[in-house]
Amino acid sequence: MKKLPEKTVERLSEYRRTLYQCLDEGKTKIYSHELADLHNITAVQVRRDIMFIGYSTRQRKGYDVEELINVISKIIDTREEMNVAVIGLGNLGKAISTYFIGKRAKLNLVATFDLDPKKIGSKTGEVECYSIDRLREIVVSKNISIAILTVPTYSAKDAVKALVQTGIKGILNFTTVNLNVPKDIYLEEYDMITSLEKVAYFVKHIK
Amino acid sequence: MKKLPEKTVERLSEYRRTLYQCLDEGKTKIYSHELADLHNITAVQVRRDIMFIGYSTRQRKGYDVEELINVISKIIDTREEMNVAVIGLGNLGKAISTYFIGKRAKLNLVATFDLDPKKIGSKTGEVECYSIDRLREIVVSKNISIAILTVPTYSAKDAVKALVQTGIKGILNFTTVNLNVPKDIYLEEYDMITSLEKVAYFVKHIK
DNA sequence: TAGATTGTTAATCGATTAACAATC
DNA sequence: TAGATTGTTAATCGATTAACAATC
């Protein structure tokens, strides 16, 4: 399968969540235009995305919700589970950790890290907080491939330096610091301030 | 000035943050390629964005950091301050509230809202938490134009219904629920799960 | 001047949408 | 069949990049 467009990958993840909701509500079939409406996009967009992943219905009676979930999962989920760590257990780190626990079958939060001795050893759900000094050791032993970075601005660069050395594969960056990482690490920015400023700008310019 | 591309608006916000860092470090001039490197994009991109906002240097000695900050601010900031509320003071809401306080001169967090009587009346910094029942009253009296939605999934739809009735202008949605809002409200999705799944996907496919 | 940098046009790339044939 | 829906191509739109003239 060739690489999917980034936007398609994003939407597939969103579709799937909606589809799970449909299942819960006992809905077993869904039309492209229904799925589209739920995401405020067009039906063509939905069908195009579904085309990309090579799925199609024989019938013209809408997509089978369960089947579609499975097909999407086969595409965007990892075969093996993927282990995730939260680096920095401040307000945001705690929120995210709590948020993720038990949410994703294939993406497991397996460790959190912090500097603060008071936090080290504490648990979020089942997940233990380790000293950042043990980052490399734990990342390797627990086979962690993705790090969620929620440390304070001033320690972001150090944290990334340490992360790069552990052989981590992807970083989701919640700090507002511009990070430079080697090309073989996938870096996704998750920027609250920018999002808010964007909303502010468009609020000002919509009339 | 005609409407800027969305991506340009996003980047301007990011540039500005970097430029403030430069000022702190005593750097008063910056080349397009320097700014580009800090954001992992190309120098052409930077110059194009700057072209869009109609700024240019006479010299070929790089952009004046302070001037550029001012020009960007004139574009993306609101003239008057814009008031922001956080709806839902759970882990995430608290984190975001703490995060924003004092950070943005032109974007003020002026209220938080929750259902829980224990939280109502409490303060995050200077900012008071109000009952969600008083949403409309407070939004109007405090002239709030942007809502940051951090309520639990199950109450998201109700919260949005209430928000729409207050005449809010923009919503930054942190929940994983697909919201349907009237066209005159700018809705920005801020989706952690999707971001993480996106990272997972590309981690799996980069080699 | 030569080299570096900026500003801008034109070309390219990627994502969305319009249009429509095929199918139930 | 007629109407609704899907799947797909071609056209359009928007964003990025290549190329290069202009300027210090």
Side-chain angles (χ1 to χ4, degrees):
Chain A
M1 152 107 43
K2 52 176 156 325
K3 233 178 87 176
L4 300 174
E6 272 200 41
K7 297 276 174 166
T8 297
V9 173
E10 279 180 38
R11 281 191 299 263
L12 287 173
S13 161
E14 288 156 11
Y15 296 159
R16 182 170 62 169
R17 199 169 48 230
T18 304
L19 293 169
Y20 274 123
Q21 278 175 33
C22 291
L23 268 196
D24 286 349
E25 293 161 10
K27 194 171 168 60
T28 59
K29 294 277 185 180
I30 190 163
Y31 294 122
S32 58
H33 61 85
E34 290 176 311
L35 196 47
D37 287 347
L38 289 166
H39 293 269
N40 302 316
I41 56 175
T42 65
V44 184
Q45 180 88 260
V46 169
R47 294 204 297 276
R48 192 116 232 272
D49 286 336
I50 289 174
M51 202 193 94
F52 270 128
I53 61 176
Y55 176 68
S56 76
T57 46
R58 320 242 142 255
Q59 319 276 82
R60 299 290 96 178
K61 297 275 167 68
Y63 301 96
D64 187 279
V65 174
E66 210 166 340
E67 236 173 81
L68 194 48
I69 289 175
N70 291 335
V71 177
I72 293 178
S73 299
K74 222 171 273 167
I75 303 284
I76 64 177
D77 279 345
T78 45
R79 183 135 340 142
E80 329 82 54
E81 311 203 339
M82 215 175 237
N83 293 329
V84 176
V86 166
I87 320 293
L89 206 52
N91 270 311
L92 187 59
K94 241 180 273 173
I96 292 171
S97 302
T98 312
Y99 189 86
F100 274 118
I101 285 171
K103 279 264 170 69
R104 295 284 94 191
K106 296 296 182 100
L107 290 171
N108 297 321
L109 182 68
V110 296
T112 61
F113 292 90
D114 207 287
L115 266 172
D116 184 350
K118 271 174 277 172
K119 288 178 186 160
I120 295 163
S122 74
K123 296 213 167 182
T124 313
E126 304 278 283
V127 180
E128 190 169 344
C129 180
Y130 299 93
S131 164
I132 193 101
D133 295 334
R134 297 178 61 198
L135 188 63
R136 195 194 159 103
E137 169 203 341
I138 307 282
V139 165
V140 171
S141 70
K142 290 197 182 271
N143 191 28
I144 294 168
S145 23
I146 300 178
I148 301 176
L149 193 66
T150 52
V151 297
T153 312
Y154 57 84
S155 58
K157 298 224 173 199
D158 287 341
V160 167
K161 218 174 287 170
L163 272 174
V164 168
Q165 284 168 357
T166 63
I168 201 95
K169 304 262 180 49
I171 300 175
L172 184 55
N173 179 25
F174 276 84
T175 77
T176 54
V177 175
N178 299 306
L179 306 176
N180 252 304
V181 299
K183 277 219 176 111
D184 56 344
I185 297 180
Y186 184 82
L187 176 67
E188 171 84 4
E189 300 288 340
Y190 201 78
D191 186 339
M192 298 201 290
I193 302 271
T194 294
S195 294
L196 194 67
E197 287 183 346
K198 194 174 153 196
V199 174
Y201 176 84
F202 284 102
V203 160
K204 202 171 59 156
H205 288 82
I206 298 176
K207 269 288 144 50
Chain B
M1 154 107 42
K2 52 176 152 340
K3 234 178 86 178
L4 300 173
E6 272 200 42
K7 297 277 173 163
T8 297
V9 173
E10 280 181 37
R11 281 191 299 262
L12 287 172
S13 162
E14 288 156 13
Y15 296 160
R16 183 171 60 170
R17 199 169 49 232
T18 304
L19 292 169
Y20 273 122
Q21 278 176 32
C22 291
L23 268 195
D24 286 349
E25 293 160 11
K27 195 172 168 58
T28 60
K29 294 277 185 180
I30 191 164
Y31 294 121
S32 57
H33 62 85
E34 289 176 311
L35 196 47
D37 288 347
L38 289 167
H39 293 268
N40 301 316
I41 56 175
T42 65
V44 184
Q45 180 88 258
V46 169
R47 294 203 299 274
R48 191 119 231 270
D49 287 335
I50 289 174
M51 201 193 93
F52 270 129
I53 61 175
Y55 177 69
S56 77
T57 45
R58 320 243 141 255
Q59 319 277 83
R60 293 302 86 182
K61 297 276 169 65
Y63 300 96
D64 186 279
V65 174
E66 211 167 339
E67 237 173 79
L68 194 48
I69 289 176
N70 291 336
V71 177
I72 293 178
S73 299
K74 221 170 273 168
I75 304 284
I76 64 176
D77 279 345
T78 45
R79 185 137 338 143
E80 329 81 56
E81 312 203 338
M82 216 175 236
N83 293 328
V84 177
V86 165
I87 321 293
L89 206 52
N91 270 311
L92 188 58
K94 240 179 274 172
I96 292 171
S97 302
T98 313
Y99 189 86
F100 274 118
I101 285 172
K103 279 263 170 70
R104 295 282 94 192
K106 296 296 182 99
L107 290 171
N108 298 320
L109 182 68
V110 296
T112 63
F113 292 90
D114 207 287
L115 266 172
D116 184 350
K118 269 175 278 172
K119 288 178 187 160
I120 294 163
S122 75
K123 296 214 168 182
T124 313
E126 304 278 285
V127 179
E128 191 169 342
C129 180
Y130 299 94
S131 165
I132 193 104
D133 296 333
R134 296 177 63 197
L135 187 64
R136 196 195 158 102
E137 169 203 340
I138 307 282
V139 165
V140 171
S141 71
K142 290 197 181 272
N143 191 27
I144 293 168
S145 23
I146 300 178
I148 301 176
L149 194 65
T150 52
V151 299
T153 311
Y154 58 84
S155 58
K157 298 223 173 200
D158 286 342
V160 167
K161 217 176 288 172
L163 273 174
V164 168
Q165 284 169 357
T166 63
I168 202 96
K169 305 262 180 48
I171 299 176
L172 183 54
N173 179 23
F174 276 83
T175 77
T176 55
V177 176
N178 299 305
L179 307 176
N180 250 305
V181 300
K183 276 220 177 112
D184 56 344
I185 296 179
Y186 184 82
L187 176 66
E188 171 84 4
E189 299 289 341
Y190 200 79
D191 186 340
M192 298 200 292
I193 301 272
T194 295
S195 295
L196 194 67
E197 287 183 346
K198 194 173 152 197
V199 174
Y201 175 84
F202 284 102
V203 160
K204 202 172 57 158
H205 288 82
I206 297 176
K207 271 286 141 52

